[in-house]
Amino acid sequence: MRRFSLPAIIILVWGLIALIGPVLPLDPNRIELAKILGAPEWQAWLGYDDLGRSIGQRLIMGAHTSFLVASGVVMVSFLSGTLLGMLGAWFGGPWDKGLVSIIDIFIAFPGILLAIALAGLLGPGLMNAVVALAVTGWVGFARLARAQTLSMKHRDHVEAARALGSGTVTIVSRHLLPLILAPLIIEATFAIAGVVIAEASLSFLGLGVQPPGASWGSMIRDGTRYMLVAPHMVLAPGLAIFLVVIAINLLGDRLRDAMDIKEISANRE
Amino acid sequence: MADYLLYRMAGAVLVIIGVVTVVFLLLHLVPGDPVEVMLGESARAADREALRQALGLDLPVWQQWWQYVIHLIHLDLGTSLHSKQAIVSLLAERFPATLQLAVASIMVAILLALPLGVFAAVRNKTSWDQAAMTFSMLGISIPNFWMGPLLILVFSVWLGWFPVSGNEGRASLVLPAMTLGTALAALLSRMIRASLLEVLNEDYIRAARARGLGDLTVTLRHGLRNAMLPVITVLGMQLGALLAGAVITETVFAWPGIGQLMIDAIQRRDYPVVQACVLVISLAYVAVNLLTDLAYAALDPRVRLDS
């Protein structure tokens, strides 16, 4: 039963909690004044935060946030980046030159710096954080898709398809895309881990989810003010991020080894 | 070499122009009227007009861009809306702290990653190797904004060895540098291991062994030296992750660098300062990458001859 390894189970639990979380009879915003900064106990085994809200229930809301943001951002980045990268490599010429210079400019902004600036200027809020992450997220996919397409476009079977009179759309979607999909999927796996950290970073800086909404990053931000009296406020959400990210990274590594792809290095953040 | 130098410099100039343009455009992304957002709704019309003119927002966009570039060439980044100081002097005030943090973090990273990576490569496929790579995986997966509070919890709150935050002498630097350094060390040790493993299979390593040189000499002098070349490039690229991570780490530790300045400026809607911070950090990153590429080409003839 190697299929159900520990990382896979963690990711399944994360996704499941994220999806059924909103339907569960939870009340993550309920304030219990008597329990402010309360230590873990039987009813709430992760304790209470600075407003007397159950940390366990807020973690579930946070899972919902991070899962939705990560899957949304990666999906948009994957589709737009792959499309742009493949088209650039396929048509070449000025289109490709333009694409390459735009990519070069985007990667000149280190890490999530541009996303921080974008989210900050667009104003706090989860939707703006998602926009900021998607605007900076497509670049990795475009670069990879472009390089892969370039190395494949002169393969014999592509030339054959072209000689037989297939149109561009058919060649790109049926003869090129299947060949370059494997590395792109692995890139997407690591990108999910990257976006989980990035969303939490933005929320930690106060730029993502706004109160009373919950994100693991904003929970850590609230917790850092009470570290002396209630360390559980920082420990619980941090552990959640850490478990999800390491599970995705391990799974990505395993996937890469299984597909035998060398080019992609682990999580570049 | 001259050709390569010229080619690489021209590329860098284009990227710098692009970066300046994107940073310039950031202000135009502010939803609604940026002047209104910055001053608040209660501002007098005269004040608004004054700010609009000071920022050049009354001109056509391409003229604004041109002005921005001209001011930049004269090292004029405008004035802060909050403190009314020249932004250049604000940056100059904060830059040393960020530089200090970056250098200390790189030192922590190299001190951790070098022995770890070499050891993992030499003892390849043993439990030592696995332990080192497990550490590396942990380091990659722990985000800065959790690592920082964890270190504070253990070393400041429980053990009381270092100050919690702020900049009160050398001791304050330890925890932020460890936060950034361990994350970088995790990636770097993986790179060193992979690169060294590849080099150790080369013929010249076998030749060195055949000459009867000791294990240590072969690994360090013949192996590591050659393995370091790709690692240096990665180090240059990872400096970007380090600088972006510094924004978060400086916030965690209230370290008075450019990153903290940027986050404070975002909260105060002091947009010219935000732009300037993004610009300075990105340009520093572009410059470092250019320098590593050139150093790499100077050290390794294969690179400059290829392109």
Side-chain angles (χ1 to χ4, degrees):
Chain A
M1 292 300 282
R2 278 189 61 89
R3 194 169 276 267
F4 286 98
S5 56
L6 193 58
I9 292 174
I10 293 175
I11 294 169
L12 271 178
V13 169
W14 175 49
L16 216 64
I17 288 179
L19 292 178
I20 63 168
V23 208
L24 292 177
L26 298 174
D27 196 358
N29 295 329
R30 197 176 70 177
I31 291 172
E32 294 206 38
L33 291 175
K35 301 259 174 70
I36 282 179
L37 297 177
E41 55 168 40
W42 184 238
Q43 277 107 18
W45 43 270
L46 290 173
Y48 293 87
D49 70 1
D50 53 326
L51 295 175
R53 301 173 298 193
S54 157
I55 289 181
Q57 297 194 11
R58 295 190 69 71
L59 268 189
I60 292 177
M61 258 175 90
H64 181 70
T65 309
S66 76
F67 187 81
L68 283 194
V69 171
S71 39
V73 167
V74 171
M75 201 129 65
V76 171
S77 313
F78 183 100
L79 292 178
S80 55
T82 305
L83 188 70
L84 284 172
M86 286 185 80
L87 290 182
W90 181 255
F91 289 114
W95 290 106
D96 193 40
K97 284 227 170 68
L99 179 72
V100 171
S101 5
I102 293 176
I103 291 177
D104 281 348
I105 291 167
F106 267 84
I107 54 177
F109 292 96
I112 65 162
L113 184 74
L114 190 59
I116 293 177
L118 275 175
L121 271 88
L122 289 173
L126 192 59
M127 203 52 221
N128 286 341
V130 169
V131 170
L133 292 175
V135 166
T136 51
W138 63 277
V139 182
F141 291 100
R143 217 151 66 120
L144 185 61
R146 181 179 171 274
Q148 293 283 324
T149 310
L150 277 183
S151 71
M152 297 283 176
K153 78 185 249 198
H154 292 301
R155 286 272 180 102
D156 287 345
H157 77 280
V158 179
E159 301 281 358
R162 208 195 311 220
L164 285 170
S166 306
T168 304
V169 178
T170 320
I171 297 180
V172 169
S173 63
R174 292 193 46 190
H175 299 290
L176 279 176
L177 190 61
L179 288 180
I180 69 168
L181 210 53
L184 284 168
I185 288 175
I186 294 169
E187 172 88 3
T189 314
F190 289 121
I192 292 178
V195 175
V196 168
I197 290 188
E199 180 272 320
S201 306
L202 291 179
S203 293
F204 175 81
L205 294 171
L207 299 171
V209 163
Q210 297 302 301
S215 149
W216 292 340
S218 64
M219 290 174 74
I220 294 182
R221 169 195 175 85
D222 294 340
T224 48
R225 280 178 236 144
Y226 301 95
M227 236 152 26
L228 288 173
V229 279
H232 61 271
M233 275 182 72
V234 166
L235 293 178
L239 199 64
I241 299 176
F242 167 67
L243 283 178
V244 166
V245 169
I246 200 169
I248 298 173
N249 280 338
L250 285 172
L251 214 62
D253 269 1
R254 216 170 278 174
L255 216 57
R256 177 176 48 191
D257 293 345
M259 295 188 182
D260 192 28
I261 289 163
K262 275 191 174 171
E263 291 106 280
I264 308 169
S265 57
N267 191 345
R268 299 131 303 163
E269 286 293 324
Chain B
M1 184 66 195
D3 275 359
Y4 178 78
L5 201 77
L6 218 63
Y7 167 79
R8 200 58 192 76
M9 297 285 256
V13 168
L14 283 181
V15 166
I16 288 172
I17 293 174
V19 166
V20 169
T21 307
V22 171
V23 169
F24 160 76
L25 287 174
L26 278 178
L27 188 63
H28 294 268
L29 281 174
V30 176
D33 181 359
V35 171
E36 198 161 295
V37 175
M38 285 186 264
L39 289 181
E41 281 178 20
S42 56
R44 282 179 301 155
D47 287 343
R48 274 190 213 167
E49 272 322 299
L51 180 61
R52 205 181 301 278
Q53 269 186 5
L55 292 175
L57 287 170
D58 49 347
L59 300 172
V61 172
W62 69 269
Q63 275 186 19
Q64 291 180 34
W65 180 81
W66 185 241
Q67 280 214 325
Y68 190 74
V69 172
I70 294 293
H71 284 159
L72 213 59
I73 292 172
H74 292 107
L75 287 183
D76 175 13
L77 285 161
T79 44
S80 156
L81 301 176
H82 175 75
S83 66
K84 313 287 183 226
Q85 269 178 289
I87 295 177
V88 172
S89 65
L90 274 179
L91 289 176
E93 209 174 277
R94 300 292 193 111
F95 194 72
T98 297
L99 189 68
Q100 202 184 6
L101 178 57
V103 170
S105 312
I106 291 177
M107 268 160 43
V108 170
I110 292 175
L111 282 179
L112 277 174
L114 212 53
L116 215 63
V118 172
F119 207 61
V122 174
R123 298 261 183 279
N124 184 25
K125 288 180 180 155
T126 64
S127 43
W128 291 105
D129 182 15
Q130 269 193 346
M133 286 309 102
T134 308
F135 164 82
S136 149
M137 193 41 123
L138 290 179
I140 291 174
S141 304
I142 298 182
N144 288 334
F145 53 88
W146 195 46
M147 189 66 176
L150 280 185
L151 290 176
I152 292 178
L153 214 53
V154 174
F155 291 104
S156 305
V157 176
W158 292 338
L159 296 172
W161 289 356
F162 304 106
V164 171
S165 65
N167 184 4
E168 300 147 14
R170 291 274 151 106
S172 305
L173 187 59
V174 175
L175 292 186
M178 267 171 69
T179 305
L180 278 171
T182 43
L184 183 57
L187 262 170
L188 215 54
S189 59
R190 275 187 153 208
M191 278 302 300
I192 293 174
R193 171 178 175 273
S195 177
L196 190 56
L197 274 178
E198 213 156 284
V199 168
L200 287 180
N201 279 327
E202 296 281 346
D203 284 342
Y204 54 78
I205 296 292
R206 200 169 316 141
R209 284 196 208 283
R211 277 164 56 204
L213 298 176
D215 254 358
L216 204 65
T217 324
V218 172
T219 316
L220 294 186
R221 186 169 319 152
H222 297 256
L224 193 60
R225 266 196 180 184
N226 284 294
M228 279 318 274
L229 278 169
V231 173
I232 287 172
T233 314
V234 170
L235 192 60
M237 284 186 336
Q238 283 306 316
L239 193 84
L242 191 82
L243 288 171
V247 175
I248 291 161
T249 308
E250 284 178 8
T251 310
V252 173
F253 290 96
W255 181 258
I258 290 187
Q260 210 200 15
L261 179 68
M262 176 173 158
I263 299 303
D264 286 348
I266 287 179
Q267 274 154 8
R268 291 176 186 139
R269 295 184 181 160
D270 197 345
Y271 295 145
V273 175
V274 179
Q275 281 177 301
C277 291
V278 176
L279 193 65
V280 164
I281 296 176
S282 308
L283 291 187
Y285 178 47
V286 172
V288 167
N289 270 327
L290 181 65
L291 289 179
T292 32
D293 274 11
L294 294 182
Y296 195 82
L299 290 174
D300 188 348
R302 283 170 295 188
V303 177
R304 56 177 188 261
L305 293 180
D306 266 0
S307 53

